[in-house]
Amino acid sequence: QVRLLEAGGGLMQAGGSLRLSCFASERFTVLAMAWFRLTPGKEREFVGVVRRDGDTFYSDSVTNRGTISRDNSKSTAYLQIHGLKPEDTAVYHCAAKDDYDFYSRPDYLTNYAYWGRGTQVTVSS
């Protein structure tokens, strides 16, 4: 099984920025790497994904504020969000699936096979 490990969460100020990382234990170069976030009382929310070729897709919630990237040399994906808002508070989970799965199931939002344990982000107003 691919293991994913997130890091970089913590207490942050509204208007500031975050940078989260997600390390994949294996097969990183063939994985699409996604970020989700979960807040108590809300459904899990898709944030964005970076494909193996570097192409990205973002949810409306972070459009123009967020950037997802990857560094294949470090087997690590990143999530940056600028202009943080209190509503960005959540447990942020990294998720991954084989990028080739998109050819049969072209769905950015679902069917991620691997999940990290999450990192807490708290944005104070």
Side-chain angles (χ1 to χ4, degrees):
Q1 280 280 316
V2 173
R3 291 185 171 88
L4 307 177
L5 179 62
E6 305 97 334
L11 179 63
M12 303 168 189
Q13 293 296 125
S17 301
L18 66 79
R19 184 174 185 266
L20 307 180
S21 63
C22 175
F23 171 79
S25 64
E26 59 188 89
R27 303 186 68 243
F28 181 81
T29 58
V30 302
L31 297 174
M33 304 292 295
W35 290 93
F36 292 80
R37 60 189 183 185
L38 181 64
T39 299
K42 296 183 178 181
E43 296 183 357
R44 184 178 63 198
E45 179 187 13
F46 173 79
V47 178
V49 61
V50 58
R51 301 281 302 276
R52 68 187 295 262
D53 64 358
D55 193 25
T56 54
F57 177 78
Y58 301 100
S59 72
D60 291 342
S61 65
V62 299
T63 296
N64 299 318
R65 296 195 299 130
T67 300
I68 296 175
S69 59
R70 65 190 298 142
D71 185 343
N72 287 349
S73 70
K74 298 180 179 180
S75 297
T76 300
Y78 302 93
L79 170 65
Q80 294 177 285
I81 301 177
H82 300 96
L84 287 170
K85 307 173 183 178
E87 50 263 45
D88 292 321
T89 295
V91 177
Y92 284 74
H93 290 268
C94 179
K97 61 179 174 181
D98 194 316
D99 190 82
Y100 294 104
D101 288 348
F102 285 107
Y103 291 96
S104 58
R105 299 179 67 94
D107 186 354
Y108 290 133
L109 306 184
T110 61
N111 295 299
Y112 289 91
Y114 313 110
W115 291 84
R117 298 292 295 273
T119 183
Q120 175 72 50
V121 172
T122 302
V123 181
S124 62
S125 60

